[in-house]
Amino acid sequence: MILTVTLNAALDVTYETPSVEWGGSNRVGTVRQRAGGKGVNVARVAAALGSAVVATGLVGGVTGDLVLADLDDAGLRHDFVVVGGTSRRTLTVVETSNGAATVLNEPGPAVTADEWQAFRERYGRLQSQADVVVVSGSLPPGVPADAYATLITDSPVPVILDADGETLAFGVQGGPALVKPNADELARATGKTSVIEGARALQSKGAQAVLVSLGPGGLVAVTAEGCWRAVPPEPVNGNPTGAGDAAVAAAARALLAGDAWPDLLRNAVALSAAAVHAPVAGDFDAAAYTRLTKEVTVTPL
Amino acid sequence: MILTVTLNAALDVTYETPSVEWGGSNRVGTVRQRAGGKGVNVARVAAALGSAVVATGLVGGVTGDLVLADLDDAGLRHDFVVVGGTSRRTLTVVETSNGAATVLNEPGPAVTADEWQAFRERYGRLQSQADVVVVSGSLPPGVPADAYATLITDSPVPVILDADGETLAFGVQGGPALVKPNADELARATGKTSVIEGARALQSKGAQAVLVSLGPGGLVAVTAEGCWRAVPPEPVNGNPTGAGDAAVAAAARALLAGDAWPDLLRNAVALSAAAVHAPVAGDFDAAAYTRLTKEVTVTPL
């Protein structure tokens, strides 16, 4: 079973409107909403590919109720700890005339020490049934900055970490099996603009392997067994939100199956590109995925 | 008693952040929310000045629950019809580095014929206890475009109308005691750029009197008894959202008291300017209001 941890679960809201007058007053055409947060997106993609998945994390308030109801609607197994604060909403304003998307992320509920302790206990029980754990996304206020390091240290099974900034820098110290930054996150966390040097810096801090996403440029894996780069056959136009989560879902499935790194990379690039073809994070184009797995190029570095 | 009608009640949400990268991903610093919609703002201001007020309209869903809970917290009397859809949120994104405010208004719940009929019955009961009625703001989808004309025709007591576009154009045909467009709304509804000509055009369609708000330029009243202009002593910097609602609250209190037009105008301009001093719609600076009532200039036109 793949256990995904989403400590700052969200209701992802999308506003669609032809264009926005910034600084002015605007009427929104379409409003859509569904459960989100990076771990939830990973769980959706892995479950859609047939993996046994449980989504856990923290939710609260009326927004948390909407998140859980949406997970029920999607048929996703979940076991969240309910906190006293209110889960955040993330708003994406899509201007349909030019495709521009502006994202506004609320900070999330304030979490108490007791609530964090309650989560650690729930996590202890859940990961005893897990084969692979994914911890990803931002931390809500009140959760310790090194929370991911704690969760990784507490886990006897491989953990994949997908985080940014301090959360990433602290998290790698827990010794995750795999870290998946994008190039910007890697540079911010390490100060290195070279992908290989940055990945080596994360390894020196504790990461066992590093998967760097390069957007349309594919993925680079830096591991104890070697380094590889995987490239999609063509650049993909679409919605890049969720492409990284799809790559993480592929990586979790590969760790579970014991796949070799080149196979992991091939599937991760194909699934990531197939996610760009889909309109919302957590979805992917199944036909594109099947086709792309045959067309991705993997080369040793 | 002043009855305020808010058919498209809203949860007004404010995001504060130093600046927004439009087309990019942003973290929001502060999230605030409270019950809104123009009629609710009018009710808040009138109640704060000691008027007996009842707020009615349509609410629904989890957002509607939050609206009603906030009205309870504020101690505002309310009697809303609950609909099956979900009330809208209005989002104001304030960039604190430059003061720019971008407003994104959701459309509101889809209202059925039965729900609209239920509201007309509730309204019939409530306005039998009212001395003045205020109908203001946008209509949610499904409510007839001439809804305000119906509510005005149904009312034996004076009605103040504050609306825009078609809602305003249809509404004046009900014969409201007073209509309060701003200059832009007046020009859109009548095609006239002259304030006096525009106001006369609304009178020819059924409005008994017209109060035109000119932002920092004050107010113009065009009535059967004459025309006046009222000007604040100085331009006011601050939050203009809710200034029009404060003017309507002052007008409702003046109609209730039987004040002469120059007195109505003086109080409306002072209260409107005092609202600009306050950070959120529905509030006003009480000290500024007291001072400004002595400093507003009212001149016959």
Side-chain angles (χ1 to χ4, degrees):
Chain A
M1 177 267 277
I2 297 170
L3 178 66
T4 69
V5 176
T6 314
L7 293 177
N8 210 0
L11 190 70
D12 286 343
V13 180
T14 306
Y15 285 174
E16 276 188 10
T17 185
S19 67
V20 174
E21 182 196 347
W22 303 112
S25 186
N26 303 272
R27 293 195 180 187
V28 173
T30 310
V31 181
R32 284 179 291 141
Q33 55 188 42
R34 74 173 192 167
K38 292 169 88 69
V40 167
N41 296 337
V42 171
R44 279 187 203 277
V45 172
L49 288 170
S51 298
V53 177
V54 175
T56 186
L58 303 173
V59 293
V62 292
T63 319
D65 291 344
L66 292 169
V67 166
L68 296 182
D70 189 62
L71 295 178
D72 286 336
D73 285 350
L76 273 179
R77 274 180 68 199
H78 60 83
D79 193 348
F80 278 77
V81 169
V82 176
V83 297
T86 298
S87 289
R88 69 196 173 118
R89 300 162 66 100
T90 69
L91 176 65
T92 304
V93 183
V94 176
E95 295 174 82
T96 51
S97 62
N98 59 18
T102 300
V103 179
L104 296 158
N105 290 323
E106 297 182 7
V111 175
T112 67
D114 283 354
E115 288 168 342
W116 171 235
Q117 187 55 36
F119 178 76
R120 287 190 63 185
E121 285 162 23
R122 183 79 58 97
Y123 175 75
R125 180 164 60 72
L126 288 169
Q127 48 108 333
S128 71
Q129 306 152 34
D131 304 294
V132 174
V133 173
V134 173
V135 296
S136 51
S138 68
L139 300 178
V143 168
D146 58 350
Y148 285 148
T150 304
L151 298 182
I152 293 163
T153 308
D154 284 356
S155 175
V157 300
V159 180
I160 303 177
L161 168 67
D162 183 3
D164 192 8
E166 281 201 339
T167 310
L168 170 59
F170 279 114
V172 290
Q173 296 173 24
L178 183 62
V179 186
K180 196 225 63 65
N182 62 35
D184 286 347
E185 289 163 346
L186 185 66
R188 271 196 292 274
T190 65
K192 312 275 189 195
T193 51
S194 149
V195 167
I196 302 290
E197 283 180 29
R200 294 283 185 219
L202 289 187
Q203 285 183 306
S204 73
K205 300 243 178 67
Q208 295 173 49
V210 181
L211 193 61
V212 185
S213 51
L214 306 173
L219 288 166
V220 167
V222 176
T223 81
E225 290 87 45
C227 300
W228 292 268
R229 177 164 182 183
V231 179
E234 75 257 326
V236 184
N237 287 321
N239 171 21
T241 316
D245 301 330
V248 170
R253 285 168 51 82
L255 290 191
L256 188 61
D259 288 349
W261 287 107
D263 294 331
L264 180 154
L265 273 173
R266 174 182 304 283
N267 284 316
V269 167
L271 195 53
S272 195
V276 173
H277 279 292
V280 289
D283 285 353
F284 62 92
D285 179 328
Y289 175 50
T290 306
R291 175 173 59 78
L292 287 161
T293 48
K294 300 177 197 124
E295 297 176 3
V296 171
T297 317
V298 183
T299 45
L301 293 179
Chain B
M1 179 266 277
I2 298 169
L3 178 67
T4 69
V5 175
T6 315
L7 293 177
N8 209 359
L11 190 71
D12 286 343
V13 180
T14 306
Y15 284 175
E16 277 188 8
T17 186
S19 66
V20 174
E21 182 195 348
W22 303 112
S25 186
N26 304 274
R27 292 194 181 189
V28 173
T30 310
V31 181
R32 284 179 289 142
Q33 54 189 45
R34 74 172 192 169
K38 293 169 88 66
V40 168
N41 296 336
V42 171
R44 277 187 204 278
V45 172
L49 288 170
S51 298
V53 177
V54 174
T56 186
L58 304 173
V59 293
V62 292
T63 319
D65 292 343
L66 292 169
V67 167
L68 296 182
D70 189 61
L71 294 178
D72 286 335
D73 285 351
L76 272 179
R77 274 179 68 199
H78 59 82
D79 193 348
F80 279 77
V81 170
V82 175
V83 299
T86 298
S87 290
R88 67 197 174 117
R89 298 162 66 99
T90 68
L91 176 66
T92 304
V93 183
V94 176
E95 295 175 82
T96 51
S97 62
N98 59 18
T102 300
V103 179
L104 295 158
N105 290 324
E106 297 183 7
V111 175
T112 67
D114 283 352
E115 288 167 341
W116 171 237
Q117 188 53 37
F119 178 76
R120 286 191 63 185
E121 285 162 22
R122 183 79 58 98
Y123 175 75
R125 181 164 58 71
L126 288 169
Q127 47 107 335
S128 71
Q129 305 153 36
D131 304 294
V132 174
V133 173
V134 173
V135 297
S136 52
S138 68
L139 301 177
V143 168
D146 58 351
Y148 285 148
T150 304
L151 297 182
I152 293 164
T153 307
D154 284 355
S155 175
V157 299
V159 180
I160 303 178
L161 168 68
D162 182 4
D164 191 8
E166 280 201 341
T167 310
L168 169 58
F170 278 113
V172 290
Q173 296 174 23
L178 183 62
V179 185
K180 196 223 65 62
N182 63 35
D184 285 347
E185 289 163 346
L186 184 66
R188 271 196 293 276
T190 64
K192 311 275 188 194
T193 52
S194 150
V195 167
I196 301 290
E197 282 180 30
R200 295 281 185 221
L202 289 188
Q203 285 182 306
S204 72
K205 299 244 178 68
Q208 295 173 50
V210 182
L211 193 60
V212 185
S213 51
L214 306 173
L219 289 166
V220 167
V222 176
T223 81
E225 289 86 46
C227 301
W228 291 268
R229 177 165 182 182
V231 179
E234 75 258 326
V236 184
N237 286 321
N239 172 20
T241 315
D245 300 330
V248 170
R253 284 167 52 81
L255 290 191
L256 188 61
D259 289 348
W261 287 106
D263 294 330
L264 180 155
L265 272 172
R266 174 182 304 282
N267 283 317
V269 167
L271 195 52
S272 194
V276 174
H277 278 292
V280 291
D283 285 353
F284 62 93
D285 179 329
Y289 174 49
T290 306
R291 176 174 57 79
L292 287 161
T293 48
K294 298 176 197 123
E295 296 177 2
V296 171
T297 317
V298 184
T299 44
L301 293 179

PDB file of all heavy atoms in Angstrom, chain A residues 42-60:
ATOM      1  N   VAL A  42      -1.110  12.939  -5.650  1.00  0.00           N
ATOM      2  CA  VAL A  42      -0.328  11.705  -5.814  1.00  0.00           C
ATOM      3  C   VAL A  42      -1.239  10.497  -5.602  1.00  0.00           C
ATOM      4  O   VAL A  42      -1.218   9.528  -6.385  1.00  0.00           O
ATOM      5  CB  VAL A  42       0.862  11.667  -4.821  1.00  0.00           C
ATOM      6  CG1 VAL A  42       1.542  10.302  -4.843  1.00  0.00           C
ATOM      7  CG2 VAL A  42       1.868  12.771  -5.133  1.00  0.00           C
ATOM      8  N   ALA A  43      -2.058  10.555  -4.547  1.00  0.00           N
ATOM      9  CA  ALA A  43      -2.954   9.438  -4.238  1.00  0.00           C
ATOM     10  C   ALA A  43      -3.941   9.194  -5.382  1.00  0.00           C
ATOM     11  O   ALA A  43      -4.207   8.043  -5.751  1.00  0.00           O
ATOM     12  CB  ALA A  43      -3.715   9.737  -2.935  1.00  0.00           C
ATOM     13  N   ARG A  44      -4.494  10.276  -5.950  1.00  0.00           N
ATOM     14  CA  ARG A  44      -5.438  10.129  -7.058  1.00  0.00           C
ATOM     15  C   ARG A  44      -4.801   9.395  -8.233  1.00  0.00           C
ATOM     16  O   ARG A  44      -5.389   8.489  -8.817  1.00  0.00           O
ATOM     17  CB  ARG A  44      -5.860  11.514  -7.593  1.00  0.00           C
ATOM     18  CG  ARG A  44      -6.934  12.200  -6.814  1.00  0.00           C
ATOM     19  CD  ARG A  44      -7.326  13.470  -7.593  1.00  0.00           C
ATOM     20  NE  ARG A  44      -7.929  14.447  -6.714  1.00  0.00           N
ATOM     21  CZ  ARG A  44      -9.210  14.444  -6.362  1.00  0.00           C
ATOM     22  NH1 ARG A  44     -10.028  13.506  -6.810  1.00  0.00           N
ATOM     23  NH2 ARG A  44      -9.691  15.382  -5.559  1.00  0.00           N
ATOM     24  N   VAL A  45      -3.584   9.845  -8.615  1.00  0.00           N
ATOM     25  CA  VAL A  45      -2.919   9.283  -9.791  1.00  0.00           C
ATOM     26  C   VAL A  45      -2.562   7.813  -9.541  1.00  0.00           C
ATOM     27  O   VAL A  45      -2.833   6.943 -10.381  1.00  0.00           O
ATOM     28  CB  VAL A  45      -1.657  10.101 -10.150  1.00  0.00           C
ATOM     29  CG1 VAL A  45      -0.856   9.409 -11.246  1.00  0.00           C
ATOM     30  CG2 VAL A  45      -2.048  11.511 -10.583  1.00  0.00           C
ATOM     31  N   ALA A  46      -1.995   7.516  -8.370  1.00  0.00           N
ATOM     32  CA  ALA A  46      -1.589   6.134  -8.067  1.00  0.00           C
ATOM     33  C   ALA A  46      -2.814   5.222  -8.011  1.00  0.00           C
ATOM     34  O   ALA A  46      -2.786   4.091  -8.521  1.00  0.00           O
ATOM     35  CB  ALA A  46      -0.801   6.091  -6.758  1.00  0.00           C
ATOM     36  N   ALA A  47      -3.905   5.715  -7.411  1.00  0.00           N
ATOM     37  CA  ALA A  47      -5.126   4.898  -7.324  1.00  0.00           C
ATOM     38  C   ALA A  47      -5.704   4.649  -8.718  1.00  0.00           C
ATOM     39  O   ALA A  47      -6.181   3.546  -9.007  1.00  0.00           O
ATOM     40  CB  ALA A  47      -6.157   5.584  -6.425  1.00  0.00           C
ATOM     41  N   ALA A  48      -5.642   5.667  -9.582  1.00  0.00           N
ATOM     42  CA  ALA A  48      -6.178   5.512 -10.943  1.00  0.00           C
ATOM     43  C   ALA A  48      -5.397   4.461 -11.725  1.00  0.00           C
ATOM     44  O   ALA A  48      -5.933   3.830 -12.642  1.00  0.00           O
ATOM     45  CB  ALA A  48      -6.133   6.850 -11.677  1.00  0.00           C
ATOM     46  N   LEU A  49      -4.114   4.232 -11.350  1.00  0.00           N
ATOM     47  CA  LEU A  49      -3.290   3.221 -12.017  1.00  0.00           C
ATOM     48  C   LEU A  49      -3.419   1.861 -11.339  1.00  0.00           C
ATOM     49  O   LEU A  49      -2.708   0.923 -11.681  1.00  0.00           O
ATOM     50  CB  LEU A  49      -1.826   3.674 -12.044  1.00  0.00           C
ATOM     51  CG  LEU A  49      -1.540   4.825 -13.012  1.00  0.00           C
ATOM     52  CD1 LEU A  49      -0.142   5.375 -12.803  1.00  0.00           C
ATOM     53  CD2 LEU A  49      -1.713   4.343 -14.459  1.00  0.00           C
ATOM     54  N   GLY A  50      -4.299   1.774 -10.323  1.00  0.00           N
ATOM     55  CA  GLY A  50      -4.565   0.469  -9.718  1.00  0.00           C
ATOM     56  C   GLY A  50      -3.836   0.195  -8.425  1.00  0.00           C
ATOM     57  O   GLY A  50      -3.984  -0.893  -7.856  1.00  0.00           O
ATOM     58  N   SER A  51      -3.035   1.152  -7.945  1.00  0.00           N
ATOM     59  CA  SER A  51      -2.318   0.924  -6.686  1.00  0.00           C
ATOM     60  C   SER A  51      -3.280   1.020  -5.504  1.00  0.00           C
ATOM     61  O   SER A  51      -4.217   1.813  -5.515  1.00  0.00           O
ATOM     62  CB  SER A  51      -1.221   1.981  -6.492  1.00  0.00           C
ATOM     63  OG  SER A  51      -0.266   1.886  -7.521  1.00  0.00           O
ATOM     64  N   ALA A  52      -3.011   0.217  -4.464  1.00  0.00           N
ATOM     65  CA  ALA A  52      -3.709   0.390  -3.191  1.00  0.00           C
ATOM     66  C   ALA A  52      -3.108   1.628  -2.521  1.00  0.00           C
ATOM     67  O   ALA A  52      -1.889   1.724  -2.383  1.00  0.00           O
ATOM     68  CB  ALA A  52      -3.527  -0.831  -2.309  1.00  0.00           C
ATOM     69  N   VAL A  53      -3.954   2.576  -2.160  1.00  0.00           N
ATOM     70  CA  VAL A  53      -3.493   3.872  -1.646  1.00  0.00           C
ATOM     71  C   VAL A  53      -4.327   4.262  -0.445  1.00  0.00           C
ATOM     72  O   VAL A  53      -5.542   4.020  -0.424  1.00  0.00           O
ATOM     73  CB  VAL A  53      -3.644   4.973  -2.732  1.00  0.00           C
ATOM     74  CG1 VAL A  53      -3.228   6.330  -2.187  1.00  0.00           C
ATOM     75  CG2 VAL A  53      -2.841   4.627  -3.973  1.00  0.00           C
ATOM     76  N   VAL A  54      -3.687   4.847   0.563  1.00  0.00           N
ATOM     77  CA  VAL A  54      -4.415   5.517   1.643  1.00  0.00           C
ATOM     78  C   VAL A  54      -3.867   6.934   1.746  1.00  0.00           C
ATOM     79  O   VAL A  54      -2.644   7.135   1.792  1.00  0.00           O
ATOM     80  CB  VAL A  54      -4.253   4.794   2.997  1.00  0.00           C
ATOM     81  CG1 VAL A  54      -4.923   5.593   4.119  1.00  0.00           C
ATOM     82  CG2 VAL A  54      -4.859   3.387   2.926  1.00  0.00           C
ATOM     83  N   ALA A  55      -4.768   7.912   1.754  1.00  0.00           N
ATOM     84  CA  ALA A  55      -4.378   9.314   1.919  1.00  0.00           C
ATOM     85  C   ALA A  55      -4.592   9.708   3.373  1.00  0.00           C
ATOM     86  O   ALA A  55      -5.677   9.513   3.915  1.00  0.00           O
ATOM     87  CB  ALA A  55      -5.214  10.204   1.005  1.00  0.00           C
ATOM     88  N   THR A  56      -3.525  10.241   3.993  1.00  0.00           N
ATOM     89  CA  THR A  56      -3.679  10.756   5.355  1.00  0.00           C
ATOM     90  C   THR A  56      -3.144  12.179   5.413  1.00  0.00           C
ATOM     91  O   THR A  56      -2.670  12.723   4.406  1.00  0.00           O
ATOM     92  CB  THR A  56      -2.980   9.860   6.400  1.00  0.00           C
ATOM     93  OG1 THR A  56      -3.287  10.352   7.711  1.00  0.00           O
ATOM     94  CG2 THR A  56      -1.470   9.856   6.205  1.00  0.00           C
ATOM     95  N   GLY A  57      -3.241  12.787   6.585  1.00  0.00           N
ATOM     96  CA  GLY A  57      -2.799  14.162   6.762  1.00  0.00           C
ATOM     97  C   GLY A  57      -3.692  14.853   7.765  1.00  0.00           C
ATOM     98  O   GLY A  57      -4.277  14.201   8.643  1.00  0.00           O
ATOM     99  N   LEU A  58      -3.790  16.175   7.634  1.00  0.00           N
ATOM    100  CA  LEU A  58      -4.594  16.975   8.554  1.00  0.00           C
ATOM    101  C   LEU A  58      -5.658  17.739   7.760  1.00  0.00           C
ATOM    102  O   LEU A  58      -5.347  18.326   6.724  1.00  0.00           O
ATOM    103  CB  LEU A  58      -3.715  17.992   9.286  1.00  0.00           C
ATOM    104  CG  LEU A  58      -2.526  17.453  10.082  1.00  0.00           C
ATOM    105  CD1 LEU A  58      -1.669  18.617  10.601  1.00  0.00           C
ATOM    106  CD2 LEU A  58      -3.000  16.576  11.230  1.00  0.00           C
ATOM    107  N   VAL A  59      -6.886  17.724   8.264  1.00  0.00           N
ATOM    108  CA  VAL A  59      -7.961  18.561   7.695  1.00  0.00           C
ATOM    109  C   VAL A  59      -8.741  19.168   8.858  1.00  0.00           C
ATOM    110  O   VAL A  59      -8.692  18.661   9.983  1.00  0.00           O
ATOM    111  CB  VAL A  59      -8.951  17.766   6.810  1.00  0.00           C
ATOM    112  CG1 VAL A  59      -8.294  17.250   5.548  1.00  0.00           C
ATOM    113  CG2 VAL A  59      -9.601  16.633   7.594  1.00  0.00           C
ATOM    114  N   GLY A  60      -9.495  20.231   8.558  1.00  0.00           N
ATOM    115  CA  GLY A  60     -10.314  20.822   9.611  1.00  0.00           C
ATOM    116  C   GLY A  60     -11.341  21.794   9.066  1.00  0.00           C
ATOM    117  O   GLY A  60     -11.220  22.272   7.929  1.00  0.00           O
TER     118      GLY A  60
END
